[in-house]
C-alpha cells in the first residue's frame, strides 16, 4: 500500500548533507513509506536564527541571545520526513508553493528532492509523532483530534486538495497534544471546491482514523462512528461537532483505560503486514484481534486486514441475530467468524493468484469473568495473573512441534533456522482448524495479544516484567515496542493489552 513497488532506501547516516542547507542528525523513526530524521541547518554566516521565546526571525547565526528580547537562543531542531514513492512529489511541492495556510497544517520550511526522495523539513519544538501513540487516545485528545480533522478536512475540501490517504503518519502532536497535519499525501489538486464524491472519500478517511484511536467499548461513540460509516455524515464539521458533544459528557474512567493497542513496522521491514482491530459486539462482549499477514507486497497486509475485519463483521452480524449468548453459543460464533475470515482470504488469494495468508489471535470477552481466546498460526495470547505470565495459545509452527516432540528446547526454538515455518494459517486451505480456549478471568488479570515481532524479540520474562512494571496500558504497550526495537526490531510488532475487572 504505502510506497508500494518502491523498496525503502537505506537510511541516511548522521552527518549526511541534504541539499545545501541541511544536515542529518539522527534517524528518529521508520514508518511505512516514510522515514523521519532530526535535522539541523548547515551552519552558515548568512543563516538567520529564529528566537523560540519571542519569534524574532532575524538573529545572526553566531548570536548567543536574541537581539530583540535578549533570551538565550536555543539550537533550532527540525524534523525531516523522507518519502520514496515519487508519484506525488510534484503535487506536494505545488501545493506548498501556491496554497493558502491553515493553522493546523504545518507548512514545510524547505522541500528538497534528494536522489528522487522527497525530503520535507519542518521546525519542531517538542512535537511528537501520532504514529507513536497507542489507541485509544485519551478522551480530551480524541475530541480535539476530531475537531482538528473536521477543520482541516473542510479547508482541504474548499481548496480542492484531494488526499491519497490520511493516516497517523500524517500527524504530529504539539506540546499541548493538539494534532497538526503535515507532510500530506496529495494525489490531486483541483482548481475549486472538491466534488461531493471526493468530499465523501475525505469523510471516510477521517472516520477510519478516528476509529483507530477510539476505545473499544463506549456505546455513544461506537454508534456515532457506525452511523458515520453508513454514510450519515456528508461533512466532517457536523461529525466533529457530534463527537465533541459525546466526549464532553462525563465518561466512565474505565472506558479509556481498559485496553490499549499499537502496531509498529519495526526497524528492518519496509511494510507493516500486521493488523489489529477491536469492536464491541454486545454489552460486555468485546472482540480483540491481532493478525500477522504473509505473502509480501500487496498480499500480506491485505490478508491480515481482510481476515481481522471479516471476523469482526461476521461476529457482529451473528451476535446481533442471536438470542443465546452463552459461552457455547459464542464459541460457535467465534469459530464461524474464523472460518468466514479463512474463506474470504482464500478466495482473495485465488482471485489474485497469490499465496497470501495470515495468522490470527483473538479474544472475545464474555462479561467480566470469562473470555474466549482463539488462534491460528504463531501470534500469541498471554495471560498475566498475580504478576505471573502464562502463555495461553500454542503456536502452529514447526518449531513448536519439535519442542512438543522433545527434539529441541523452547530456547533453541527461538533461534531455529526454521522458526518461521507455520503449519496452520488463515487463507491457505479451504477449512482451517481453530484452537479455542475458554479462560476464567479474575479481577486484575491482563491479557496480551501479540504478533511474533514481539515475542520473537523479547523473552517472556521480559514481557512479564514490563507488563508488571507499568500500570498504564498505553505506556506498557509502548515499552514493549521499545523492547522489541532494542532487541533488533526485525519484524512488525503488534500488541493489544486488556485489563479486567478493576
Ligand atoms: Ca511476523
Amino acid at each position: 500500500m504505502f510506497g508500494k513497488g518502491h523498496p525503502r532506501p537505506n537510511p541516511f547516516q548522521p552527518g549526511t548533507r541534504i541539499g545545501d542547507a541541511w544536515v542529518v542528525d539522527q534517524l528518529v523513526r521508520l514508518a511505512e513509506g516514510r522515514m523521519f530524521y532530526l535535522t539541523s541547518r548547515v551552519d552558515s554566516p548568512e543563516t538567520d536564527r529564529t528566537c523560540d521565546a519571542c519569534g524574532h526571525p532575524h538573529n545572526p547565526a553566531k548570536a548567543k541571545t536574541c537581539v530583540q528580547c535578549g533570551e538565550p537562543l536555543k539550537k533550532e531542531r527540525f524534523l525531516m520526513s523522507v518519502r520514496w514513492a515519487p508519484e506525488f512529489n510534484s503535487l506536494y511541492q505545488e501545493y506548498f508553493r501556491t496554497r493558502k495556510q491553515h493553522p493546523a497544517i504545518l507548512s514545510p520550511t524547505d522541500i528538497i528532492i534528494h536522489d528522487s526522495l522527497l525530503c520535507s523539513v519542518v521546525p519542531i519544538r517538542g512535537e511528537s509523532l501520532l504514529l507513536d501513540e497507542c489507541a485509544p487516545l485519551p478522551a480530551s485528545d480524541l475530541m480535539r483530534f476530531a475537531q482538528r480533522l473536521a477543520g482541516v478536512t473542510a479547508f482541504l475540501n474548499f481548496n480542492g486538495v484531494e488526499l491519497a490517504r490520511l493516516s497517523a503518519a500524517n500527524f504530529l502532536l504539539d506540546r499541548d497534544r493538539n494534532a497538526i497535519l503535515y507532510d500530506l499525501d496529495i494525489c490531486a489538486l483541483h482548481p475549486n471546491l472538491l466534488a461531493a464524491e471526493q468530499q465523501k472519500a475525505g469523510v471516510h478517511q477521517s472516520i477510519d482514523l478516528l476509529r483507530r484511536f477510539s476505545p473499544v467499548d463506549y456505546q455513544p461513540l461506537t454508534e456515532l462512528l457506525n452511523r458515520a460509516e453508513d454514510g450519515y455524515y456528508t461533512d466532517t464539521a457536523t461529525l466533529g461537532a457530534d463527537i465533541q458533544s459525546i466526549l464532553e459528557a462525563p465518561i466512565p474512567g474505565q472506558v479509556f483505560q481498559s485496553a490499549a493497542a499499537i502496531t509498529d513496522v519495526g526497524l528492518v521491514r519496509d511494510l507493516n503486514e500486521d493488523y489489529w482491530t477491536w469492536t464491541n459486539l454486545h454489552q460486555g462482549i468485546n472482540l480483540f484481534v491481532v493478525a500477522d499477514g504473509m505473502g509480501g507486497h500487496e498480499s500480506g497486509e491485505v490478508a491480515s486486514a481482510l481476515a481481522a475485519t471479516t471476523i469482526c463483521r461476521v461476529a457482529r452480524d451473528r451476535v446481533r441475530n442471536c438470542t443465546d449468548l452463552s459461552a457455547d453459543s459464542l464459541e460457535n460464533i467465534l469459530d464461524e467468524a474464523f472460518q468466514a475470515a479463512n474463506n474470504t482470504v482464500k478466495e482473495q488469494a485465488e482471485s489474485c493468484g497469490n499465496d497470501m495468508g495470515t495468522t490470527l489471535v483473538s479474544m472475545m470477552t464474555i462479561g467480566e469473568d470469562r473470555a474466549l481466546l482463539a488462534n491460528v498460526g504463531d501470534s500469541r495470547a498471554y495471560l498475566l495473573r498475580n504478576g505471573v505470565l502464562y502463555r495461553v495459545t500454542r503456536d502452529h509452527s514447526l518449531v513448536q512441534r519439535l519442542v512438543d516432540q522433545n527434539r529441541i528446547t523452547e530456547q533453541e526454538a527461538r533461534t531455529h533456522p526454521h522458526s518461521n515455518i507455520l503449519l496452520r494459517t488463515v487463507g491457505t486451505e479451504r477449512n482451517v482448524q481453530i484452537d479455542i480456549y475458554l479462560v476464567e478471568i479474575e479481577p486484575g488479570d491482563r491479557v496480551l495479544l501479540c504478533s511474533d515481532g514481539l515475542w520473537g524479540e523479547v523473552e517472556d520474562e521480559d514481557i512479564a516484567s514490563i507488563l508488571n512494571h507499568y500500570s498504564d496500558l498505553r505506556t506498557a504497550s509502548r515499552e514493549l515496542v521499545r523492547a522489541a526495537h532494542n532487541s533488533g526490531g526485525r519484524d512488525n510488532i503488534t500488541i493489544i493489552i486488556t485489563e479486567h475487572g478493576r
Side-chain angles (χ1 to χ4, degrees), residues 275 277-281 286-291 303-319 330 333-345 358-364 374-376 426 432 434:
Y275 192 83
T277 185
W278 56 32
T279 188
N280 170 259
L281 304 173
N286 294 317
L287 183 61
F288 303 82
V289 186
V290 166
S304 58
L306 190 59
T309 50
T310 303
I311 286 197
C312 289
R313 181 175 48 75
V314 171
R316 210 163 33 220
D317 284 353
R318 297 291 187 276
V319 167
L330 289 170
I333 288 172
L334 191 58
D335 188 81
E336 227 181 297
F338 264 69
Q339 295 301 343
N342 181 67
N343 294 339
T344 308
V345 174
T358 184
T359 73
L360 278 174
V361 62
S362 80
M363 171 170 68
M364 187 190 274
N375 78 306
V376 174
V426 164
V432 65
I434 299 141

Side-chain angles (χ1 to χ4, degrees), residues 89-106:
N89 285 3
S90 58
L91 288 170
Y92 185 74
Q93 289 176 299
E94 186 185 332
Y95 172 76
F96 282 107
R97 255 199 313 270
T98 60
R99 300 294 164 137
K100 280 181 286 188
Q101 309 268 316
H102 184 279
I105 301 178
L106 199 51

Side-chain angles (χ1 to χ4, degrees), residues 212 263 272-277 289-292 304-305 308-309 494:
R212 291 304 281 166
T263 186
N272 192 345
E273 298 185 299
D274 284 1
Y275 192 83
W276 69 265
T277 185
V289 186
V290 166
D292 175 354
S304 58
T309 50
T494 302

Side-chain angles (χ1 to χ4, degrees), residues 269 273-274 291-294 359 378-379 451-454 490-493:
R269 299 281 178 92
E273 298 185 299
D274 284 1
D292 175 354
M294 58 211 73
T359 73
D378 68 350
S379 294
S451 61
D452 64 337
L454 177 67
R490 282 158 287 202
D491 199 355
N492 310 142
I493 305 143

Side-chain angles (χ1 to χ4, degrees), residues 63-300:
K64 295 263 187 301
T65 54
C66 174
V67 294
Q68 183 156 295
C69 72
E71 285 293 312
L73 287 169
K74 291 201 199 96
K75 184 175 161 67
E76 284 184 288
R77 302 308 293 271
F78 295 84
L79 184 71
M80 181 171 71
S81 154
V82 178
R83 287 188 260 168
W84 54 91
E87 65 263 32
F88 303 137
N89 285 3
S90 58
L91 288 170
Y92 185 74
Q93 289 176 299
E94 186 185 332
Y95 172 76
F96 282 107
R97 255 199 313 270
T98 60
R99 300 294 164 137
K100 280 181 286 188
Q101 309 268 316
H102 184 279
I105 301 178
L106 199 51
S107 294
T109 304
D110 200 359
I111 301 171
I112 310 105
I113 306 288
H114 177 92
D115 289 343
S116 82
L117 306 173
L118 181 69
C119 307
S120 181
V121 181
V122 293
I124 44 164
R125 299 180 185 91
E127 286 87 352
S128 58
L129 301 172
L130 183 62
L131 265 181
D132 288 331
E133 292 291 321
C134 291
L137 283 176
S140 58
D141 290 359
L142 187 64
M143 181 172 82
R144 284 181 294 166
F145 186 39
Q147 292 164 333
R148 278 285 166 106
L149 269 174
V152 294
T153 311
F155 174 83
L156 295 173
N157 282 343
F158 187 74
N159 285 286
V161 182
E162 193 180 344
L163 298 181
R165 64 184 79 89
L166 191 64
S167 79
N170 297 112
F171 288 90
L172 298 178
L173 290 177
D174 70 14
R175 278 181 294 199
D176 301 322
R177 296 187 61 82
N178 288 308
I180 314 163
L181 180 61
Y182 88 120
D183 201 30
L184 300 80
D185 292 288
I186 300 169
C187 65
L189 290 172
H190 303 270
N192 306 106
L193 185 71
L194 288 186
E197 269 313 295
Q198 292 152 349
Q199 291 198 28
K200 224 160 98 187
V203 173
H204 269 281
Q205 288 169 336
S206 301
I207 295 164
D208 284 349
L209 198 49
L210 284 172
R211 203 186 267 286
R212 291 304 281 166
F213 286 106
S214 295
V216 58
D217 187 10
Y218 185 48
Q219 281 303 319
L221 187 59
T222 307
E223 281 164 19
L224 179 144
L225 291 171
N226 286 345
R227 270 204 310 280
E229 236 167 49
D230 292 340
Y232 179 82
Y233 294 96
T234 49
D235 69 296
T236 47
T238 326
L239 174 68
D242 283 6
I243 288 179
Q244 182 178 351
S245 67
I246 285 173
L247 293 176
E248 270 174 354
I251 301 170
Q254 263 308 309
V255 164
F256 282 84
Q257 284 150 29
S258 61
I262 192 165
T263 186
D264 184 275
V265 70
L267 302 178
V268 174
R269 299 281 178 92
D270 286 351
L271 275 174
N272 192 345
E273 298 185 299
D274 284 1
Y275 192 83
W276 69 265
T277 185
W278 56 32
T279 188
N280 170 259
L281 304 173
H282 192 270
Q283 175 119 39
I285 305 178
N286 294 317
L287 183 61
F288 303 82
V289 186
V290 166
D292 175 354
M294 58 211 73
H297 282 275
E298 291 184 71
S299 28

